[in-house]
Amino acid sequence: MTDADLSASDTPERRRAAWMAAAQGGDRLAYERVLGDSLSLIRAAARRQGVSVDQLDDVVQETLLTVHKVRHTYDPSRSYDAWLSAIAGRRAIDALRSHGRRGRRELHDEHAYDTVAELDDATAATERDQEARRLREAIASLPPGQREAVEQLGLKEHSLAEAAAQTGRQTGALKVNLHRAMKALRARFHGDP
Amino acid sequence: MVESRLPESLIHSLGAQLTPVRRLPPPWLRTAGWLLAVAVIATGLLLHYGTEHMLRRWAEEPDIALAGMGAVVTAVCAAWAAFALGVPGRSPNWAWLPLPGLLLWVGASGLGCLRDLVAPIAPVASAHQAGDCLVFIISFSVPLSLLLIALLRRACSLRPVRTAVMIGLASAAASSALLEICHGFAVAATDLLMHALAVGIVVAANAAMGGRLLQPSLR
């Protein structure tokens, strides 16, 4: 697809729909454009669900990953914005639920509050956020099998059996993928081979 | 408000992983595919039991024919609704689509039941025979539900429980319609209760498992 295919009179929504249709056919440029153009829509959908500003990036990230997995479900004859907003809304609800669960676990851990001296240190918090973001991006850039292993075993803390049941992969393959993923992440962050 | 830094590197890496995809066929086409499987089962039952008994029963008790038609309409609409709900961005109101067929199905069955209380025409099922209806509906609903779940796993159901209820309703309604081909009894209260129980079990089982089975792409 070229820019010539999209006339200047096209609305932004029609432009995004055309880009996504081209992306379904494998057009990388159109895909990166439509994802870049979708960020404000994702943030708007997340805010409508009541997601706080500090969680917006998580929702954006999760939504982009979901869009990548389910891009075949988009029907170019229908609204791209409605399709994307529905996914973003769902991911926003997931983030709120997960945040609520984490909050309940952490609120009563007074010892942690006492021992973490830099809790209110904005600089340290920003650095932690940046590190977390770098890690999320590094995980997202892993090959699908390795990323799946890290998500299931590392982030969601599923057992091997649960992860195998959910992904349909052998436990051995999951272990190998996790090992390779950890090696790749170590190499990326510490320069280890 | 200042927007945070754009996740360009994620977009870039997703772009690097991009491969062409085969689009999901429209809901009506996928519904037609599932109905084809139901039609194959119906053809097998018709070849085995013949049509004579079924047509004679319909002529004697037209409300049974109406109830059967209601079950067919419910099955078609519920399956269509399940496929529509499996696509992000489609209205949640699709879940209401099977309601008219369901009302026809339940209403005509209830009327037939009342009429048979007053002036019975066909023999009434014993508790044991009514139990056979329960087994029939559940036995046919299991493979039909599994087929629908398999067809829907490639989609992305953002409302998995609602979609699963539609799957249960479609399978149970289709199985009840298939039962009409070989059902030899009038719609007595025990039999109707057993049919309702079977439909309830199928719908509840789907709703209970739906969330886990229908969202592989969201995990």
Side-chain angles (χ1 to χ4, degrees):
Chain A
M1 189 186 64
T2 65
D3 285 344
D5 297 331
L6 297 168
S7 71
S9 61
D10 270 333
T11 62
E13 178 168 7
R14 285 185 59 190
R15 205 171 55 221
R16 286 190 284 271
W19 278 336
M20 193 50 168
Q24 287 176 319
D27 184 334
R28 180 177 173 176
L29 184 63
Y31 190 45
E32 292 185 5
R33 277 179 175 170
V34 73
L35 292 185
D37 218 30
S38 300
L39 297 175
S40 56
L41 285 173
I42 298 171
R43 290 196 180 99
R47 282 196 209 104
R48 277 198 299 275
Q49 296 292 341
V51 171
S52 59
V53 176
D54 61 325
Q55 276 186 288
L56 281 179
D57 278 355
D58 289 347
V59 175
V60 167
Q61 198 131 342
E62 285 297 322
T63 305
L64 289 176
L65 290 169
T66 307
V67 163
H68 185 73
K69 280 186 198 169
V70 304
R71 61 191 187 278
H72 63 281
T73 66
Y74 174 62
D75 175 355
S77 67
R78 303 185 69 86
S79 162
Y80 170 79
D81 289 7
W83 178 81
L84 176 75
S85 297
I87 295 171
R90 169 57 202 258
R91 278 314 192 196
I93 291 168
D94 289 345
L96 289 171
R97 283 182 183 155
S98 145
H99 190 69
R101 277 197 298 273
R102 220 169 33 236
R104 278 197 298 280
R105 271 204 308 271
E106 290 170 0
L107 265 177
H108 304 291
D109 193 356
E110 290 171 8
H111 180 68
Y113 278 87
D114 292 338
T115 52
V116 178
E118 71 279 17
L119 186 68
D120 296 317
D121 186 331
T123 311
T126 309
E127 276 175 14
R128 278 201 303 277
D129 282 350
Q130 282 173 349
E131 278 172 13
R133 189 174 302 136
R134 277 180 60 217
L135 183 60
R136 281 197 298 269
E137 287 171 358
I139 291 170
S141 68
L142 291 169
Q146 293 180 23
R147 190 176 65 236
E148 202 174 45
V150 173
E151 285 171 352
Q152 292 288 328
L153 299 168
L155 303 182
K156 295 184 178 170
E157 298 182 346
H158 287 158
S159 68
L160 266 175
E162 286 171 334
Q166 289 196 353
T167 59
R169 292 182 192 273
Q170 301 286 330
T171 54
L174 281 167
K175 278 191 213 169
V176 170
N177 275 336
L178 182 64
H179 175 73
R180 286 181 181 158
M182 298 312 282
K183 201 172 166 184
L185 291 173
R186 267 198 299 273
R188 180 162 174 165
F189 284 98
H190 302 299
D192 294 341
Chain B
M1 190 185 69
V2 179
E3 301 244 303
S4 58
R5 191 172 61 84
L6 303 182
E8 293 101 346
S9 62
L10 175 59
I11 291 175
H12 186 71
S13 64
L14 292 177
Q17 294 170 32
L18 185 71
T19 50
V21 286
R22 191 167 51 88
R23 277 185 202 129
L24 207 59
W28 68 266
L29 191 58
R30 301 163 74 213
T31 308
W34 180 74
L35 288 173
L36 192 65
V38 179
V40 168
I41 299 172
T43 307
L45 288 172
L46 284 170
L47 287 174
H48 187 264
Y49 290 100
T51 55
E52 193 188 342
H53 168 74
M54 181 179 73
L55 294 175
R56 195 175 60 240
R57 198 163 154 261
W58 285 2
E60 286 171 355
E61 298 186 75
D63 35 39
I64 289 180
L66 266 183
M69 202 185 297
V72 170
V73 173
T74 305
V76 173
C77 292
W80 196 331
F83 285 119
L85 290 170
V87 181
R90 295 291 178 107
S91 168
N93 290 332
W94 274 94
W96 295 108
L97 187 65
L99 189 63
L102 186 64
L103 289 176
L104 177 63
W105 180 21
V106 174
S109 301
L111 275 180
C113 181
L114 276 177
R115 195 176 45 72
D116 275 315
L117 272 178
V118 181
I121 300 171
V124 171
S126 67
H128 178 70
Q129 287 163 329
D132 290 344
C133 295
L134 180 91
V135 172
F136 183 100
I137 292 175
I138 292 180
S139 307
F140 278 83
S141 291
V142 170
L144 290 176
S145 290
L146 288 176
L147 180 59
L148 272 175
I149 289 168
L151 290 170
L152 272 158
R153 275 172 71 85
R154 212 182 146 241
C156 173
S157 188
L158 301 178
R159 297 179 183 85
V161 175
R162 201 177 301 203
T163 308
V165 167
M166 292 297 114
I167 291 174
L169 191 58
S171 313
S175 302
S176 293
L178 291 170
L179 178 61
E180 285 303 316
I181 295 171
C182 49
H183 197 245
F185 315 107
V187 191
T190 47
D191 198 35
L192 185 60
L193 196 68
M194 216 51 103
H195 286 212
L197 181 66
V199 173
I201 290 172
V202 172
V203 172
N206 271 282
M209 293 188 296
R212 282 187 288 280
L213 295 173
L214 287 173
Q215 293 190 304
S217 50
L218 288 180
R219 290 185 184 275

